[in-house]
Amino acid sequence: MGEDRVEVPLGNRISLRFDSDIRLLVHIHGYDEEFSVEAGVLTVNEFVGDLPGVFEVEDHVSHRLLIELKVSP
């Protein structure tokens, strides 16, 4: 996982997939979505991108930025 920006059109369904060798607690700022990723388990979180803007997706365990999510019309 790196610090990348993912761009998606406003109103689309967003599917974030994470696979990690350590446990993560992923938080999507602005959307207040939070979910756990257990070590070695592919985890998928889906939601509708109905808020425009740039949102940080970070691991609340290490406080590391995973990606930036850009939702735009």
Side-chain angles (χ1 to χ4, degrees):
M1 285 177 261
E3 296 181 12
D4 296 316
R5 179 175 283 185
V6 177
E7 297 188 28
V8 295
L10 182 67
N12 278 19
R13 187 148 202 73
I14 297 170
S15 179
L16 296 178
R17 298 169 189 221
F18 289 93
D19 185 14
S20 178
D21 57 353
I22 60 171
R23 182 183 177 278
L24 304 174
L25 181 58
V26 178
H27 181 242
I28 307 164
H29 289 269
Y31 283 88
D32 291 326
E33 292 276 333
E34 188 171 270
F35 58 96
S36 293
V37 176
E38 298 303 322
V41 177
L42 176 64
T43 303
V44 179
N45 181 268
E46 294 184 341
F47 59 99
V48 176
D50 55 0
L51 298 172
V54 177
F55 306 96
E56 291 182 343
V57 179
E58 72 171 350
D59 172 29
H60 270 194
V61 176
S62 68
H63 303 287
R64 187 178 83 175
L65 177 66
L66 302 172
I67 62 169
E68 285 184 337
L69 180 63
K70 182 178 181 183
V71 181
S72 56

